[in-house]
Amino acid sequence: MMKVLLINGSPHKEGCTYTALTEIANELKKHDVDSEIFWIGTGQIRGCTGCRVCKKNPGKCIFDDDICNELIKKCEEVDGMVIGSPVYFAGINGGLSAILDRVFYAGGINFENKPGAGVVSCRRAGASASFDRLNKYFTYNKMPVVPSQYWNVVHGNTPEEVKQDIEGLQIMRTLAKNMAWLLKSLKDEPTPEYEEKTFTNFIR
Ligand SMILES: Cc1cc2nc3c(=O)[nH]c(=O)nc-3n(C[C@H](O)[C@H](O)[C@H](O)COP(=O)(O)O)c2cc1C
């Protein structure tokens, strides 16, 4: 069975972001797609130091003292991923930003062609900027971005409030339907033959 990793980037294990991800998990199940919620927790997470050791050893961050390498492995094993974040000061949560920079810098090359989607939860404002930030990780890494019927946002300060966001929850279900559809459509499709990647620091 195909599987989607649902990353809960909130320090709240079962808060608003979790509520949105659970709606996605339940809908995926209806379409015979398995899922797992991975909570980033409240422990210390380093930011990327830019040492670039991972460029010589792709798929692994040199710092093995937090969840980074565990999360890279999880992302490698699944067929698609959804990354959920609460909105903090109109951006994604700092801990999530720190871990995603490292997960995608070290491991992104191994996630190519896996469909991905971002989801954000906010009380009032800053949702679309945070949503844009999450999408950057996918579009950098040749990952098809799964659409919904609107931008992937739920509103609420508590899970109970999120459950009252009828439109937000429908957006989550539509996203899950599209994720299942895309996964099945792409299943036996050969991936494009890409050119060797050029990397120039200047435009001329
Ligand atoms: C440090 C901090 C900053 C926040 N900044 C915003 C914000 O800029 N805009 C907003 O609408 N909500 C903001 N919130 C509220 C959360 O985004 C909102 O309650 C979210 O749904 C919580 O999700 P969670 O239960 O999964 O952690 C902030 C909360 C915290 C703790």
Side-chain angles (χ1 to χ4, degrees):
M1 199 190 264
M2 282 188 287
K3 186 169 173 181
V4 174
L5 188 67
L6 306 169
I7 301 169
N8 179 6
S10 168
H12 300 128
K13 190 174 184 191
E14 296 189 352
C16 303
T17 307
Y18 170 86
T19 306
L21 295 177
T22 301
E23 192 75 7
I24 295 170
N26 291 340
E27 186 66 31
L28 284 172
K29 205 172 177 184
K30 290 184 191 164
H31 299 273
D32 298 319
V33 176
D34 201 7
S35 65
E36 175 188 339
I37 296 183
F38 180 92
W39 180 45
I40 68 161
T42 53
Q44 284 195 359
I45 298 175
R46 283 172 188 273
C48 180
T49 63
C51 69
R52 298 205 170 101
V53 172
C54 61
K55 295 295 146 202
K56 289 179 215 122
N57 186 18
K60 205 164 167 32
C61 177
I62 192 170
F63 295 109
D64 215 359
D65 54 1
D66 59 22
I67 58 167
C68 182
N69 287 325
E70 183 191 351
L71 184 51
I72 290 175
K73 205 160 174 289
K74 291 253 176 207
C75 292
E76 285 172 351
E77 284 165 3
V78 292
D79 302 289
M81 66 185 80
V82 176
I83 307 176
S85 180
V87 173
Y88 280 9
F89 289 92
I92 61 171
N93 165 37
L96 180 66
S97 178
I99 200 72
L100 290 180
D101 286 355
R102 287 168 55 219
V103 163
F104 279 86
Y105 204 63
I109 196 165
N110 297 337
F111 315 152
E112 284 184 3
N113 310 108
K114 293 180 196 269
V119 161
V120 299
S121 174
C122 81
R123 188 185 72 81
R124 183 166 293 273
S128 72
S130 310
F131 177 60
D132 288 347
R133 175 78 171 87
L134 288 176
N135 283 330
K136 301 289 193 311
Y137 291 103
F138 309 126
T139 49
Y140 188 94
N141 282 296
K142 304 187 185 87
M143 298 171 70
V145 178
V146 185
S148 185
Q149 64 197 48
Y150 194 84
W151 305 304
N152 304 332
V153 181
V154 292
H155 280 92
N157 215 24
T158 61
E160 289 67 39
E161 285 178 0
V162 171
K163 284 175 190 155
Q164 291 170 50
D165 181 5
I166 301 301
E167 184 175 345
L169 293 180
Q170 188 176 66
I171 293 164
M172 298 303 123
R173 293 193 298 277
T174 303
L175 174 64
K177 286 180 209 290
N178 283 344
M179 172 64 91
W181 165 62
L182 208 61
L183 283 175
K184 287 170 192 166
S185 308
L186 293 176
K187 192 169 172 283
D188 298 317
E189 278 296 307
T191 52
E193 277 188 28
Y194 298 113
E195 294 172 21
E196 196 183 332
K197 199 171 174 183
T198 44
F199 198 78
T200 55
N201 295 339
F202 303 94
I203 55 167
R204 65 193 149 76

